[in-house]
Each structure stands twice: as C-alpha cells, then as structure tokens.
Amino acid sequence: MTHYLLSIYQPDGDGTPPPEFLEPIMRDVEALKAELREAGAWVFSGGLHAPGTATVVRVKDNEMLTTDGPYIEGKEHIGGFTVIQAPDLDAALEWGRKLARATTLPIEVRPLQHGSCG
C-alpha cells in the first residue's frame, strides 16, 4: 500500500468560522475519520496553527537563518492534513473527494515517497 498526504487548503483570513458554520463541518470530518479507520486507510492526521506561528529555518552560505512566519505569502495555507494508505491513486483520490466534501475546502492528494512513513 502507498501512503498519501491529503493536505487541506484554508483561505487566509479572520480566524475560526462561527460555530453554526464550523460544527456541521467538524461532524462530517469526524464521520469521515471513522470511515477511514474502519476501512483501514487512516494512518494519522493533524490540524495546524495559523501560518503566522510558523518559523522557517534554512542554511545560506553556511549560516543558519531563522525567519518568523510562513515561507511563502499567499491567499491560502495548509490548515491540516491526513495521511492515509491506499492501494492506488484512484482510491486515494476518492478519499480526497470525501474530505473535500466534509471540509468544503480544496484538498491536495500527493503520494509520499517510498519508505517515508516509518
């Protein structure tokens, strides 16, 4: 089985949506997580803090540089992710479609390189 990263793209903006908008989405996400677990496809998942909490570390001219904030400014950011295992890309894309429906957000589906999950 191949592992796939399902990245959740969130628009930049004003914090957390109101409960009446967010609660049904979170219910759908939890139901999908249960479905993934039942199917044996779920590996792990996590939500990320806002992009402003990021710190970028890089080496330039043998010097370590540390910068606050995201590496790239944009109109959206990765707000969370799920790692799944699936027999092929078609199966991973179906899980990505289900996650897009649950979150109402764009989902990037990308295979992990062999051996990168343990």
Side-chain angles (χ1 to χ4, degrees), residues 54-69 71:
T55 303
V56 178
V57 180
R58 73 181 90 178
V59 176
K60 184 175 181 182
D61 299 325
N62 286 332
E63 187 176 332
M64 189 65 61
L65 303 174
T66 305
T67 310
D68 290 337
Y71 178 66

Side-chain angles (χ1 to χ4, degrees), residues 9-31:
Y9 285 93
Q10 289 184 251
D12 286 343
D14 302 326
T16 305
E20 63 272 9
F21 181 79
L22 189 58
E23 286 173 4
I25 290 172
M26 294 311 296
R27 262 194 317 273
D28 290 347
V29 168
E30 286 303 315

Side-chain angles (χ1 to χ4, degrees), residues 28-42 95 98:
D28 290 347
V29 168
E30 286 303 315
L32 178 58
K33 192 188 299 185
E35 183 181 349
L36 280 162
R37 284 185 172 148
E38 193 172 300
W42 187 82
W95 288 117
K98 290 180 178 189

Side-chain angles (χ1 to χ4, degrees), residues 3 43-44 112-118:
H3 288 92
V43 177
F44 68 95
L112 275 68
Q113 292 183 2
H114 179 71
S116 57
C117 255

